[in-house]
Amino acid sequence: MKSLVVKDIKKTFRLSKKQRKIEQTDETKKVALRGVSFEAQPGEIFGLLGPNGAGKTTALRCIATLIKPDQGDITVDGFSAIKASSEVRKRIAFLTNEMKLEDHFTPNYLFRYFSRLHNISDEVSEMRKQALFKRFGIDKFQEVKVSDLSTGMKQKISIAISLVHDPDYIIFDEPTNGLDVLTARTVTDYLLEMRAEGKTVILSTHILNVVEKLCDRVGIIIDGEMKALDSLENVQNIASDQTLETLFFDLVKESAVEEHA
């Protein structure tokens, strides 16, 4: 059965002198993940919610096989992200706001280049490009250098490029961060379309209204630990006034109290 399973992953990083100064700590190590587990199924959007520095991006990078957890495993359609990373990469798309496009290339060139990296024929690549470029309004800019495009257009091109191989699992880290309202709406609408197509979408964000609008299930991660994990409806009902915002801030405050106890 198709599924993405994250099982008890832990990750610790060594801190450089510069990082210790930024973190304002004398500790030489930082625990980013403390046994995080969750599952994401076809036809759903799973929201990974948490404040900055909670461990969301580290978890997604482990899923995307960019880094290895110190403990635990991630499986995608039964393939281990640790033992069969190439098989996992065939099945997923990973988009982060840290993705940078080369300024002197055009969207047309970049799409063709990444298609060939995935061993996609030129004919199939062209069909996918036409559909995605039309969907995101890129077609009029396909021969314009990236350096001459707006931030929103660059983000839409990044999304299109991440989907060149038509993956079943879509992993987006803060996909609407820094975008104008219209571009953000285009992105969120497309996430809903992918869910309707039976894709599995994992969405990491700290924007609560995006989670409430899009997600079927939610995991709230704080200080590397999964503090809540359930359907959006059930997670909301945990809070005294039935709002996700209340629960989120209560968990953040509770974690801060525990840290300084």
Side-chain angles (χ1 to χ4, degrees):
M1 180 180 177
K2 286 184 173 294
S3 66
L4 187 155
V5 180
V6 176
K7 187 174 181 180
D8 193 31
I9 59 172
K10 298 180 180 180
K11 185 65 180 179
T12 300
F13 294 102
R14 291 187 178 276
L15 297 177
S16 65
K17 289 183 178 179
K18 182 178 179 180
Q19 289 170 325
R20 292 200 296 272
K21 185 175 181 180
I22 294 173
E23 296 275 347
Q24 296 182 336
T25 180
D26 293 326
E27 299 292 331
T28 58
K29 296 181 180 180
K30 179 178 180 179
V31 180
L33 297 173
R34 307 170 186 270
V36 168
S37 300
F38 65 88
E39 294 186 24
Q41 303 294 336
E44 77 169 6
I45 298 178
F46 179 89
L48 192 59
L49 179 63
N52 290 334
K56 304 187 303 297
T57 296
T58 299
L60 297 190
R61 286 177 175 174
C62 288
I63 295 171
T65 75
L66 297 179
I67 58 177
K68 291 183 179 181
D70 301 328
Q71 181 178 313
D73 198 4
I74 301 108
T75 57
V76 177
D77 292 349
F79 291 101
S80 167
I82 298 173
K83 299 177 181 178
S85 58
S86 61
E87 290 295 332
V88 170
R89 286 193 291 270
K90 291 177 185 178
R91 290 163 170 79
I92 65 172
F94 179 49
L95 179 70
T96 169
N97 55 21
E98 295 179 357
M99 181 177 180
K100 305 298 181 185
L101 303 175
E102 291 291 341
D103 282 345
H104 59 282
F105 290 140
T106 65
N108 192 38
Y109 175 87
L110 289 168
F111 195 91
R112 183 169 61 249
Y113 175 79
F114 281 95
S115 293
R116 289 174 177 174
L117 283 182
H118 284 281
N119 296 315
I120 298 168
S121 70
D122 290 347
E123 181 181 0
V124 172
S125 172
E126 184 64 24
M127 287 190 297
R128 289 180 183 167
K129 185 192 75 174
Q130 289 181 11
L132 287 167
F133 278 23
K134 182 178 180 180
R135 176 65 181 79
F136 288 111
I138 302 170
D139 42 359
K140 296 178 181 178
F141 303 92
Q142 59 184 308
E143 291 299 340
V144 178
K145 288 185 178 180
V146 168
S147 60
D148 296 325
L149 297 173
S150 67
T151 299
M153 185 57 65
K154 291 176 183 177
Q155 180 75 333
K156 289 190 285 188
I157 293 166
S158 296
I159 293 173
I161 289 172
S162 71
L163 300 172
V164 294
H165 55 309
D166 192 25
D168 289 328
Y169 299 88
I170 319 297
I171 304 166
F172 281 172
D173 188 11
E174 305 284 0
T176 61
N177 195 30
L179 299 182
D180 63 79
V181 175
L182 291 177
T183 304
R185 176 64 181 267
T186 300
V187 173
T188 56
D189 284 351
Y190 193 67
L191 293 178
L192 292 172
E193 289 178 20
M194 288 191 287
R195 178 179 68 182
E197 292 175 7
K199 307 282 190 183
T200 303
V201 180
I202 298 179
L203 174 66
S204 168
T205 184
H206 62 274
I207 305 174
L208 295 172
N209 63 356
V210 170
V211 174
E212 292 176 322
K213 176 183 177 182
L214 298 178
C215 297
D216 303 290
R217 292 193 304 118
V218 175
I220 299 178
I221 185 170
I222 300 172
D223 193 27
E225 294 185 41
M226 192 69 80
K227 297 292 187 177
L229 178 63
D230 211 328
S231 68
L232 177 61
E233 181 181 3
N234 288 344
V235 168
Q236 286 174 318
N237 288 339
I238 295 172
S240 58
D241 63 357
Q242 312 298 304
T243 68
L244 181 61
E245 182 178 28
T246 298
L247 174 62
F248 179 75
F249 284 106
D250 283 350
L251 288 173
V252 171
K253 287 188 286 186
E254 179 183 305
S255 180
V257 170
E258 291 175 353
E259 183 178 348
H260 293 94

